[in-house]
């Protein structure tokens, strides 16, 4: 089955700096790669996603890149703000086959003012 | 957009009792529901997958007789933790995929249920 590895486990940046979180996946059949932000005591919130037919996607300060050959994808947050502080999870699935969504281990991002 | 309503948001129960958690899709038909468990400072671990009208498929190591999943309709799935023990205390989260004008190409998550067994 699918295995998703996520690094780093913790990340501390200064406000205004960029943050990058990286994930690798094992199942070459995976075709959907979402990123979630989770605040304490709440369910995960989708912040951006990418499908396997696209190499990069951007939404304001957030971008995701996908390298299918290397089986890795990354989240890039620019101009970080204190409210970006949270736990971020990557995930992978074979969505159009009703596939299970498998999560990475999570990254605790701290943005210091 | 798609919304999944999960209840209760938190529950405290005595050891040995059963607890039911509900997830309802409000504006789309949830053809598949996934149930996750999350321990403090850990990731979401998939427990089981259920398709409407079918028996759930459980992940390795998850006791199907302890975690009963029902997905009898396209808008409601329930997880019942039977004979709960303190080690079952965790954050339980549902996620749905489905069809309908409001459904996402993706997974819609509930807000989670904090279960504490005393």
């Amino acid at each position: 089955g699918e295995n998703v590895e996520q690094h780093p486990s913790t990340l501390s940046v200064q406000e205004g700096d960029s943050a990058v979180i990286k994930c690798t996946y094992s199942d070459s059949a995976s075709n959907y790669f979402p990123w979630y932000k989770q605040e304490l005591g709440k369910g995960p919130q989708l912040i951006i996603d990418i499908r396997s037919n696209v190499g990069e996607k951007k939404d304001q300060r957030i971008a995701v890149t996908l390298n299918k050959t290397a089986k890795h994808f990354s989240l890039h947050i620019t101009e970080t703000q204190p409210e970006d502080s949270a736990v971020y999870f990557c995930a992978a699935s074979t969505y159009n086959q009703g596939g299970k969504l498998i999560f990475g281990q999570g990254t605790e991002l701290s943005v210091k003012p | 957009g798609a919304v999944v309503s999960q209840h209760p948001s938190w529950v405290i129960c005595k050891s040995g009792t059963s607890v039911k958690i509900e997830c309802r899709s409000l504006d789309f038909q949830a053809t598949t529901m996934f149930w996750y468990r999350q321990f403090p400072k850990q990731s979401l671990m998939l427990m089981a997958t259920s398709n409407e009208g079918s028996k759930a498929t459980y992940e390795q190591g998850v006791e199907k007789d302890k975690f009963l999943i029902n997905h009898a309709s396209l808008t409601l799935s329930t997880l019942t933790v039977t004979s709960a023990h303190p080690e079952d205390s965790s954050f339980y989260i549902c996620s749905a995929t489905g069809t309908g004008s409001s459904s996402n190409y993706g997974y819609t998550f509930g807000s989670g249920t904090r279960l504490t067994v005393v």
Side-chain angles (χ1 to χ4, degrees):
Chain A
E2 177 65 279
N3 182 52
V4 179
E5 297 287 333
Q6 182 173 347
H7 299 280
S9 56
T10 61
L11 179 60
S12 181
V13 300
Q14 285 296 129
E15 181 177 0
D17 287 349
S18 296
V20 180
I21 303 171
K22 299 182 179 182
C23 288
T24 60
Y25 62 99
S26 62
D27 189 350
S28 57
S30 289
N31 58 9
Y32 178 64
F33 307 92
W35 285 88
Y36 295 90
K37 177 182 182 181
Q38 187 179 30
E39 297 178 343
L40 196 62
K42 298 184 179 180
Q45 176 188 10
L46 179 70
I47 57 171
I48 196 167
D49 57 9
I50 192 167
R51 305 169 200 177
S52 60
N53 58 348
V54 176
E56 184 174 357
K57 183 177 177 181
K58 188 174 181 180
D59 182 4
Q60 299 182 354
R61 297 187 297 111
I62 296 173
V64 56
T65 58
L66 171 65
N67 184 326
K68 285 175 54 181
T69 303
K71 292 189 209 161
H72 66 70
F73 56 114
S74 300
L75 176 71
H76 304 253
I77 305 174
T78 59
E79 301 172 25
T80 53
Q81 301 166 3
E83 50 266 38
D84 293 330
S85 296
V87 179
Y88 291 81
F89 291 97
C90 64
S93 80
T94 51
Y95 179 79
N96 56 358
Q97 298 169 33
K100 302 180 280 191
L101 188 63
I102 303 301
F103 283 80
Q105 294 86 350
T107 296
E108 185 172 4
L109 174 64
S110 176
V111 180
K112 299 184 183 306
Chain B
V3 175
V4 170
S5 177
Q6 183 171 347
H7 292 280
S9 56
W10 61 271
V11 58
I12 301 173
C13 72
K14 290 185 177 181
S15 188
T17 62
S18 297
V19 172
K20 181 183 285 189
I21 300 169
E22 289 189 351
C23 280
R24 293 181 182 272
S25 57
L26 300 186
D27 49 4
F28 70 103
Q29 296 177 322
T31 52
T32 304
M33 190 71 77
F34 303 90
W35 287 93
Y36 292 85
R37 180 167 55 182
Q38 185 178 33
F39 292 109
K41 294 194 177 294
Q42 294 189 22
S43 186
L44 285 78
M45 299 302 298
L46 182 66
M47 299 174 66
T49 303
S50 71
N51 294 300
E52 183 266 336
S54 302
K55 287 186 177 180
T57 301
Y58 290 80
E59 295 299 302
Q60 191 173 6
V62 177
E63 300 173 59
K64 63 180 180 181
D65 294 330
K66 181 169 186 60
F67 298 100
L68 301 180
I69 292 172
N70 184 289
H71 192 172
S73 80
L74 285 171
T75 59
L76 175 64
S77 178
T78 61
L79 167 68
T80 301
V81 183
T82 63
S83 187
H85 289 95
E87 56 266 30
D88 299 322
S89 298
S90 188
F91 193 53
Y92 292 87
I93 309 169
C94 63
S95 174
T97 61
T99 59
S101 60
S102 296
S103 66
N104 297 328
Y105 181 95
Y107 301 77
T108 303
F109 283 83
S111 53
T113 297
R114 171 72 59 194
L115 170 64
T116 302
V117 185
V118 297

